[in-house]
Amino acid sequence: MLREVLEIPAASERLLAQRAAFASVVERLRREEPRVLVACGRGSSGHAGLYLRYLAETRLGLLACSAAPSVFTAYRSRPDMRGVLYVVVSQSGRSPDLVATTEAARALGATTLAIVNDESSPVASAAELVLPLAAGAERSVAATKTVVASMIACAQIVAALAGDGPLAAAVSRMPERLASALACDWSAWSEALAAAPGAFVAARGYGLGSAREIALKLLEVLRLPAIGHSAAEFRHGPRSAVTPATPVLLLRQPDATAGGLDELARDLRSAGGAVFLAGGPDFLAGGKGGTLPWLGDGHPALDPVAMLAPAYRAIEAAARRKGLDPDSPPHLTKVTRTL
């Protein structure tokens, strides 16, 4: 896992070098002019799909939602998918439910795009359009470099379709920014996790997919009960379960959602909570940046993606500290064969 986390900058650079494949996908999508986007993925890939939803709705003005594979596989329903852009995200491209839903979406009139690491996989074969992640083999059960690459691919596509120059420029700088992010020392949070009975991760908007992704890694790598939640909904239930023993990681990007994160951080800190803030001004301790080391504000749509790098590294270190094997968590496999 650690080796693959350290490969994240190089993997993102390989992804961005696939200019011909990217241009072909964008050209086709411009012609199609979809009216709705449906993102499909399980686990970490589902978190990339959630990130894509926020990008599509805020940058493209395109209504978006997450697919429910059981609608196709268990209930055998066949909704009208004409005018839909169906984006399936997968590292292996071999989960039977993802293959079946991609085939069904295509047969029902959707334009299908597979964002996959294995371009020869069944999911890639089922889709009309394919954007390979080119992340290289990923052997750790816990996906890391492919998750980051998936999110960057989503941002790259949306930036091109939206004609968003600043976002496109920020995407091109991601390999360098990710390399710098890996040098951010989040060991204070890592050490808190090692002794915690549970943990929380919260964010809003573009950061919600990353928050849920980090929580999943706490579950699978540290075997730690964890929840990734919207900061806006944190007071609707999760807040009551927070104690000084349950660390809360807050991901803050510099946009209209930042004020809500600041307010939640103040509230939790005043109640004695163990708050770890990534991004933004340090209103908690003297105005020198967040309570966790960070690079300073970058593009708000990409900062939460870059924050995955130090979070992954901190989780891997916490697992080692607890005597766990972060590479092969029990009861899990690299390819999940659900239907």
Side-chain angles (χ1 to χ4, degrees):
M1 179 179 175
L2 178 58
R3 182 178 66 250
E4 289 165 2
V5 169
L6 296 177
E7 290 172 2
I8 287 174
S12 65
E13 195 164 10
R14 288 194 298 272
L15 167 70
L16 297 177
Q18 297 185 112
R19 294 179 179 85
F22 168 72
S24 176
V25 167
V26 170
E27 181 183 0
R28 172 67 183 277
L29 296 183
R30 282 177 176 151
R31 292 200 307 268
E32 293 292 331
E33 296 184 345
R35 58 182 176 84
V36 175
L37 185 148
V38 177
C40 184
R42 294 289 196 189
S44 294
S45 294
H47 303 147
L50 176 59
Y51 175 66
L52 175 59
R53 175 183 178 179
Y54 276 96
L55 288 171
E57 293 192 335
T58 61
R59 303 276 163 174
L60 297 175
L62 192 64
L63 186 65
C65 67
S66 297
S70 62
V71 167
F72 300 94
T73 60
Y75 295 108
R76 304 293 180 181
S77 180
R78 293 296 180 263
D80 183 356
M81 299 194 72
R82 290 172 295 180
V84 172
L85 170 58
Y86 185 90
V87 182
V88 57
V89 184
S90 177
Q91 287 93 51
S92 71
R94 298 183 184 282
S95 296
D97 54 352
L98 300 187
V99 178
T101 54
T102 303
E103 291 173 342
R106 185 172 181 178
L108 292 165
T111 299
T112 51
L113 166 63
I115 299 176
V116 292
N117 198 38
D118 183 354
E119 59 186 304
S120 64
S121 65
V123 163
S125 298
E128 295 172 76
L129 304 172
V130 178
L131 182 60
L133 294 176
E138 189 173 56
R139 294 182 173 83
S140 171
V141 169
T144 54
K145 62 180 179 178
T146 53
V147 183
V148 174
S150 297
M151 291 185 174
I152 293 174
C154 292
Q156 183 186 31
I157 290 169
V158 169
L161 292 175
D164 189 332
L167 178 58
V171 167
S172 71
R173 294 192 295 269
M174 279 299 281
E176 179 182 354
R177 192 160 177 82
L178 285 163
S180 298
L182 279 172
C184 292
D185 182 4
W186 287 15
S187 58
W189 177 60
S190 179
E191 290 166 5
L193 292 172
F200 298 88
V201 189
R204 285 198 73 184
Y206 301 124
L208 185 56
S210 292
R212 291 185 177 172
E213 165 62 10
I214 292 169
L216 176 61
K217 290 299 181 286
L218 295 176
L219 284 161
E220 64 183 352
V221 176
L222 285 183
R223 309 178 206 177
L224 183 67
I227 183 172
H229 225 292
S230 163
E233 296 182 4
F234 211 79
R235 301 178 195 278
H236 291 258
R239 174 67 184 85
S240 65
V242 176
T243 73
T246 52
V248 182
L249 173 64
L250 302 178
L251 309 181
R252 183 191 191 275
Q253 69 262 9
D255 63 13
T257 68
L261 268 294
D262 294 348
E263 183 179 353
L264 178 60
R266 290 190 187 97
D267 174 54
L268 294 172
R269 191 62 171 259
S270 67
V275 179
F276 297 88
L277 176 68
D282 187 0
F283 53 88
L284 300 175
K288 297 180 180 177
T291 54
L292 289 175
W294 188 235
L295 310 174
D297 289 343
H299 195 288
L302 290 168
D303 267 7
V305 179
M307 288 173 184
L308 289 173
Y312 287 151
R313 193 165 189 179
I315 291 168
E316 195 274 347
R320 298 285 184 194
R321 191 177 293 112
K322 292 180 69 172
L324 302 175
D325 181 1
D327 303 327
S328 301
H331 315 301
L332 299 177
T333 58
K334 191 63 180 169
V335 179
T336 304
R337 299 191 180 279
T338 51
L339 189 59

